[in-house]
Amino acid sequence: MELETPLRDVPEVAAPETVASGARSSSAWTLALFLLFWILFYALNRGLPYLRNGSDIVMDAKKQFERTGRVFPSDPRVDRVLIFGNSKILAGFLPALFDRLAAAGGMNVSSFNSGFPGSDEFLPELEDLCQRGQAPNVLLMTLPWKPDPAKRDIFHLIRDDHAVVGQLFPFRFWLRDFTNFLMTADNHGGARRFYQESRGDARQVLDDRGYYLITEQSRFSGGRIPDDFKLATDQPGKVERRVAPPPGGETKELNRLLQRYHIRCYFVPYYLRAGEAAAPTDYDTDFARAVEGATSCKLAGPDYFLYPNRLFSDQTHLNTIGARVYTQALFDLLRTRLDQGREHALQ
């Protein structure tokens, strides 16, 4: 008589349906948590926009204003002057002073500072202004155009992945900015006062029509660097020439805007510290040939001005006195051209 041998315990194998269901459930929870954190940080970023450093606050305020605000008066008798550049222009060009100098010379001018920290972009802002009926009559540029981007292939499908990431995750630096804010707040009278101060910076840059005094990098009393200040990277014996890349899509679009909206365009000098580089020639023939061969812009003056240390708030940017000196120099350089342009427009 055969006896049945009891089977040992054998672990049950989950049915395929059960495994698939568990995987879907896990994915759903992961997606839900991702969306929850995305919404949370997005709300914090939108609700507390002034926790970031000053340059980011200023940049966003100016970009928003240039997209939606009235940059220039509607009076057709007013000559509209717009200057592009990086943070040197942001902290170096005083529209109110430029306009007063023009008025003293019998010209009716309204200028705006479109310098942005850490950026050499200009076409998107210029195109937006033109399309909104805010095209300038005179465009001032300090940096040459950018070379055409590399052709896209299967490994580079997105032209500007940084811009895409910035759109998808505008809060990606929120924790870092929040930490820096808390660490710096005591030096500004506490978190509440520092937040109000940062919000005031955004308003002030618009009141000053794009000008912003950069103080974040200033480490010296009185807002000026010492006369004996220098850096290991200074090259007092070398001229820093501006070099224009081959013309491409950006120059083609620039020329289209200049022609369509009857904009007079000039490349003007930027500035460096005395001792940072050698004195440039009064007129860079090679750069002028490149600029005037690729665009309808003209070159005005040298590649840059050299200023003493006392006019700088840090190693790169001018203080308020320096900004007055630089703005005066640009006006003196452009005075005749502005006057001739006004006479031509009246004819």
Side-chain angles (χ1 to χ4, degrees), residues 22 29 31 43 46 59 80 109 154-155 158 183 185 191 196 206 211 214 261 273 275 311:
W29 274 106
L31 179 60
R46 290 295 300 270
M59 190 168 184
R80 303 173 173 184
V109 170
I154 191 172
F155 300 106
I158 301 175
M183 293 175 63
Q196 293 173 344
L206 300 184
Y211 166 75
I214 297 176
Y261 296 97
R273 287 179 289 106
L311 299 184

Side-chain angles (χ1 to χ4, degrees), residues 58-135:
V58 165
M59 190 168 184
D60 284 354
K62 286 180 67 173
K63 282 186 177 292
Q64 178 65 23
F65 180 71
E66 290 187 22
R67 282 194 296 264
T68 61
R70 181 172 291 279
V71 176
F72 297 111
S74 56
D75 189 343
R77 296 171 296 180
V78 175
D79 222 8
R80 303 173 173 184
V81 177
L82 181 70
I83 185 168
F84 279 119
N86 55 22
S87 60
K88 283 181 174 290
I89 297 303
L90 172 69
F93 181 79
L94 290 161
L97 174 59
F98 191 90
D99 296 355
R100 288 198 300 271
L101 294 170
M107 292 173 278
N108 192 359
V109 170
S110 176
S111 59
F112 189 83
N113 181 333
S114 192
F116 288 100
S119 174
D120 55 1
E121 291 279 354
F122 66 91
L123 270 180
E125 285 75 22
L126 178 60
E127 190 164 14
D128 284 347
L129 288 170
C130 290
Q131 291 176 351
R132 295 197 305 109
Q134 293 282 288

Side-chain angles (χ1 to χ4, degrees), residues 7-320:
L7 297 175
R8 297 180 180 178
D9 292 338
V10 178
E12 295 182 1
V13 178
E17 295 83 357
T18 305
V19 174
S21 176
R24 286 195 298 269
S25 177
S26 177
S27 298
W29 274 106
T30 301
L31 179 60
L33 287 174
F34 172 81
L35 291 175
L36 178 63
F37 279 106
W38 192 96
I39 293 170
L40 173 63
F41 281 104
Y42 183 83
L44 288 172
N45 189 65
R46 290 295 300 270
L48 298 170
Y50 303 114
L51 295 180
R52 296 168 296 167
N53 63 65
S55 61
D56 289 340
I57 292 172
V58 165
M59 190 168 184
D60 284 354
K62 286 180 67 173
K63 282 186 177 292
Q64 178 65 23
F65 180 71
E66 290 187 22
R67 282 194 296 264
T68 61
R70 181 172 291 279
V71 176
F72 297 111
S74 56
D75 189 343
R77 296 171 296 180
V78 175
D79 222 8
R80 303 173 173 184
V81 177
L82 181 70
I83 185 168
F84 279 119
N86 55 22
S87 60
K88 283 181 174 290
I89 297 303
L90 172 69
F93 181 79
L94 290 161
L97 174 59
F98 191 90
D99 296 355
R100 288 198 300 271
L101 294 170
M107 292 173 278
N108 192 359
V109 170
S110 176
S111 59
F112 189 83
N113 181 333
S114 192
F116 288 100
S119 174
D120 55 1
E121 291 279 354
F122 66 91
L123 270 180
E125 285 75 22
L126 178 60
E127 190 164 14
D128 284 347
L129 288 170
C130 290
Q131 291 176 351
R132 295 197 305 109
Q134 293 282 288
N137 304 115
V138 178
L139 176 65
L140 307 180
M141 299 178 62
T142 54
L143 301 173
W145 56 88
K146 296 186 300 182
D148 279 351
K151 292 183 178 180
R152 287 175 285 177
D153 53 31
I154 191 172
F155 300 106
H156 303 86
L157 296 176
I158 301 175
R159 183 180 296 273
D160 190 347
D161 52 354
H162 293 287
V164 173
V165 172
Q167 291 291 329
L168 292 176
F169 303 100
F171 49 78
R172 62 195 184 282
F173 301 125
W174 192 87
L175 286 176
R176 180 204 65 184
D177 293 336
F178 179 64
T179 302
N180 290 338
F181 177 86
L182 292 180
M183 293 175 63
T184 311
D186 286 344
N187 297 329
H188 293 262
R192 179 184 292 274
R193 177 172 294 182
F194 188 29
Y195 190 82
Q196 293 173 344
E197 179 182 316
S198 299
R199 180 165 50 195
D201 288 343
R203 294 172 179 169
Q204 190 64 49
V205 73
L206 300 184
D207 290 342
D208 291 336
R209 282 181 281 169
Y211 166 75
Y212 178 67
L213 173 63
I214 297 176
T215 59
E216 291 90 342
Q217 302 176 37
S218 180
R219 300 293 183 269
F220 304 99
S221 61
R224 52 175 286 185
I225 60 178
D227 292 338
D228 59 352
F229 177 88
K230 59 182 178 180
L231 295 174
T233 54
D234 290 347
Q235 295 182 300
K238 180 181 177 182
V239 174
E240 294 290 337
R241 297 186 182 278
R242 286 182 290 190
V243 178
E250 194 165 275
T251 52
K252 182 178 180 180
E253 179 63 15
L254 174 61
N255 283 330
R256 184 187 71 82
L257 294 173
L258 296 179
Q259 182 177 3
R260 179 176 180 181
Y261 296 97
H262 309 288
I263 303 171
R264 308 191 306 275
C265 174
Y266 301 99
F267 275 84
V268 297
Y270 59 103
Y271 58 83
L272 295 173
R273 287 179 289 106
E276 187 175 355
T281 57
D282 292 336
Y283 189 80
D284 188 339
T285 305
D286 291 337
F287 187 62
R289 187 181 299 115
V291 164
E292 296 173 7
T295 71
S296 58
C297 301
K298 303 296 182 182
L299 179 63
D303 284 326
Y304 51 86
F305 298 129
L306 289 177
Y307 292 134
N309 286 358
R310 64 178 179 273
L311 299 184
F312 286 78
S313 63
D314 58 51
Q315 68 270 19
T316 304
H317 306 105
L318 294 173
N319 54 32
T320 304

